[in-house]
Amino acid sequence: MIIESAEVVVTSPGRTFVTLRITTDEGLIGLGDATLNGRELAVASYLSDHVAPLLIGRDAHAVEDTWQYLHRGAYWRRGPVTMTAIAAVDVALWDLVAQRAGLPLYQLLGGASRRGLLAYGHAGGRDLPELSEAIHRRLAEGFRAIRVQSGVPGIAALYGVTDPGTAYEPARRAARPVEEQWDSRAYLRHLPGVLEAVRHEFGPELPLLHDVHHRLTPIEAARLGRSLEPYDLFWLEDCTPAENQEALRLVRSHTVTPLAIGEVFNSVHDYRTLIGEQLVDFIRSSPTHTGGITALRRILDLAGLHQIRSGMHGPTDVSPVGMAAALHLGLAVHNFGIQEYMPHAAVTADVFETSFTFAAGLLHPGELPGLGVRLDLAAAARYPYQAAYLPVNRLPDGTVHDW
């Protein structure tokens, strides 16, 4: 099964996606997600100009060899652009190999380890009544675990919070990023009361999650984790920027609130201290941004040796192709924990036909051969590229801060 062509498709149905489309001499088509929110064209160029020409004539079955060829052969390793490009190739090859075998991809990864994947939905509100309403909506949609994000008095706009009844999409279509404000002290004062009210209203059984989004120092994160212990969080996500892996030692020493980290990581090396010292409880990486299924499977296997589970990133800036890859991998690995699930905009379904399902709180990738995702090229052409950027954050005095 020889690769005859490798094409990069950039389309913006609701938001921008980058898809690698590999065609073999047998007429099979494999898809890989190459979407890097706010830097999409960098990956598209990396693939079109530097990777696609190297794929022509290669055996599509050689998934491992191709991964090593692209990772070691480029000399310049790691980084989000490189690893997202490699991920697109890797996932597309897995898609092809599974299609050639006539099996859904998870069967080639060892078969199903569970009936479905517990998914959590997002609920945000500018105040407690709006947040309560949003949680009720997610529960009515079938979610059995909820991520809770709340407005903070004095902060005009916050990550994860939007007007009632509207889908949250942080990337704004504009010539430059929107600037938002942040106040750590106000947030630390306000959030524990929010979680207390939610737990009181919805009871002890509902798994609750919260995302700090990298905004606290290690000692602030430790303080928050301890203050939230009475409300029994499923996890506290990205409590501090974790590129300094040793910083999590301080957080871990002060709180037993479970910690989830890694959506901006792209290599096993980003996790070595965190996994080896069991400083986190959940791995947040997605196949799309971590070198694909081949690389993330290795990370999760290492994590499993340390009682650390998966919690793969599943926002709308991971395309339906990337989401399908996460579901196949999550269904197969033993140490699955939970799957983030933000349903894509309805217009996205004009371009991507998917086989994965969500019912009774569980996701399943479906039984079609391969990933179970098809890309409609004609539909993709109807949604030309539109630039969009994630916001930039500033402290009250104007200092640029982590968003």
Side-chain angles (χ1 to χ4, degrees), residues 143-262:
F143 286 99
R144 291 161 32 193
I146 305 292
R147 192 192 77 173
V148 174
Q149 305 295 132
S150 171
V152 174
I155 302 179
L158 267 179
Y159 169 80
V161 178
T162 189
D163 293 335
T166 61
Y168 179 66
E169 174 50 71
R172 317 281 179 82
R173 289 178 171 174
R176 62 185 63 203
V178 171
E179 294 194 1
E180 298 180 350
Q181 288 190 325
W182 176 251
D183 185 333
S184 295
R185 286 176 56 82
Y187 168 77
L188 289 168
R189 287 193 304 269
H190 184 69
L191 185 66
V194 172
L195 269 298
E196 179 182 28
V198 171
R199 183 57 79 195
H200 177 75
E201 178 179 358
F202 291 94
E205 297 301 322
L206 178 64
L208 298 177
L209 307 85
H210 178 72
D211 186 0
V212 181
H213 222 246
H214 324 278
R215 298 179 180 192
L216 299 179
T217 66
I219 195 64
E220 289 170 340
R223 172 186 163 190
L224 180 64
R226 178 178 288 183
S227 70
L228 297 181
E229 286 177 6
Y231 315 119
D232 188 26
L233 287 190
F234 187 91
W235 78 34
L236 183 65
E237 179 183 344
D238 289 333
C239 59
T240 190
E243 291 90 341
N244 176 12
Q245 297 182 43
E246 293 80 3
L248 270 293
R249 293 173 183 155
L250 187 152
V251 181
R252 191 64 129 182
S253 68
H254 285 283
T255 181
V256 294
T257 294
L259 303 175
I261 287 286

Side-chain angles (χ1 to χ4, degrees), residues 52-319:
L54 307 180
L55 300 177
I56 309 307
R58 292 185 65 86
D59 181 2
H61 284 104
V63 180
E64 176 68 24
D65 183 70
T66 300
W67 195 96
Q68 299 294 345
Y69 178 77
L70 296 176
H71 186 255
R72 298 175 185 272
Y75 186 71
W76 305 106
R77 302 180 191 177
R78 303 168 61 185
V81 173
T82 293
M83 298 307 286
T84 301
I86 291 174
V89 176
D90 183 78
V91 170
L93 294 184
W94 276 113
D95 188 17
L96 286 167
V97 171
Q99 288 183 55
R100 182 69 158 73
L103 294 170
L105 176 55
Y106 73 83
Q107 295 286 14
L108 271 64
L109 300 175
S113 293
R114 55 199 49 84
R115 295 188 303 275
L117 294 83
L118 177 67
Y120 71 88
H122 294 187
R126 293 171 294 185
D127 53 28
L128 282 173
E130 284 188 6
L131 177 57
S132 174
E133 180 183 347
I135 295 172
H136 280 291
R137 283 199 304 270
R138 296 291 89 81
L139 294 174
E141 292 164 359
F143 286 99
R144 291 161 32 193
I146 305 292
R147 192 192 77 173
V148 174
Q149 305 295 132
S150 171
V152 174
I155 302 179
L158 267 179
Y159 169 80
V161 178
T162 189
D163 293 335
T166 61
Y168 179 66
E169 174 50 71
R172 317 281 179 82
R173 289 178 171 174
R176 62 185 63 203
V178 171
E179 294 194 1
E180 298 180 350
Q181 288 190 325
W182 176 251
D183 185 333
S184 295
R185 286 176 56 82
Y187 168 77
L188 289 168
R189 287 193 304 269
H190 184 69
L191 185 66
V194 172
L195 269 298
E196 179 182 28
V198 171
R199 183 57 79 195
H200 177 75
E201 178 179 358
F202 291 94
E205 297 301 322
L206 178 64
L208 298 177
L209 307 85
H210 178 72
D211 186 0
V212 181
H213 222 246
H214 324 278
R215 298 179 180 192
L216 299 179
T217 66
I219 195 64
E220 289 170 340
R223 172 186 163 190
L224 180 64
R226 178 178 288 183
S227 70
L228 297 181
E229 286 177 6
Y231 315 119
D232 188 26
L233 287 190
F234 187 91
W235 78 34
L236 183 65
E237 179 183 344
D238 289 333
C239 59
T240 190
E243 291 90 341
N244 176 12
Q245 297 182 43
E246 293 80 3
L248 270 293
R249 293 173 183 155
L250 187 152
V251 181
R252 191 64 129 182
S253 68
H254 285 283
T255 181
V256 294
T257 294
L259 303 175
I261 287 286
E263 68 183 52
V264 298
F265 289 174
N266 54 73
S267 165
V268 67
H269 300 289
D270 297 318
Y271 283 108
R272 288 177 65 180
T273 299
L274 300 178
I275 292 175
E277 298 186 22
Q278 295 181 274
L279 298 179
V280 296
D281 302 280
F282 295 92
I283 298 297
R284 286 283 291 136
S285 290
S286 66
T288 296
H289 300 132
T290 320
I293 290 169
T294 296
L296 186 52
R297 178 65 180 266
R298 290 195 184 104
I299 294 172
L300 292 177
D301 284 345
L302 177 62
L305 297 176
H306 297 82
Q307 295 81 49
I308 298 170
R309 294 183 286 165
S310 73
M312 284 180 252
H313 198 209
T316 51
D317 51 272
V318 167
S319 86

Side-chain angles (χ1 to χ4, degrees), residues 40-64:
E40 295 92 349
L41 297 185
V43 187
S45 173
Y46 192 110
L47 284 168
S48 295
D49 298 331
H50 303 292
V51 173
L54 307 180
L55 300 177
I56 309 307
R58 292 185 65 86
D59 181 2
H61 284 104
V63 180
E64 176 68 24

Side-chain angles (χ1 to χ4, degrees), residues 12-33:
S12 296
R15 67 159 331 282
T16 298
F17 301 108
V18 180
T19 307
L20 178 65
R21 186 175 182 270
I22 296 179
T23 304
T24 72
D25 59 345
E26 299 178 5
L28 295 177
I29 297 170
L31 301 178
D33 182 17

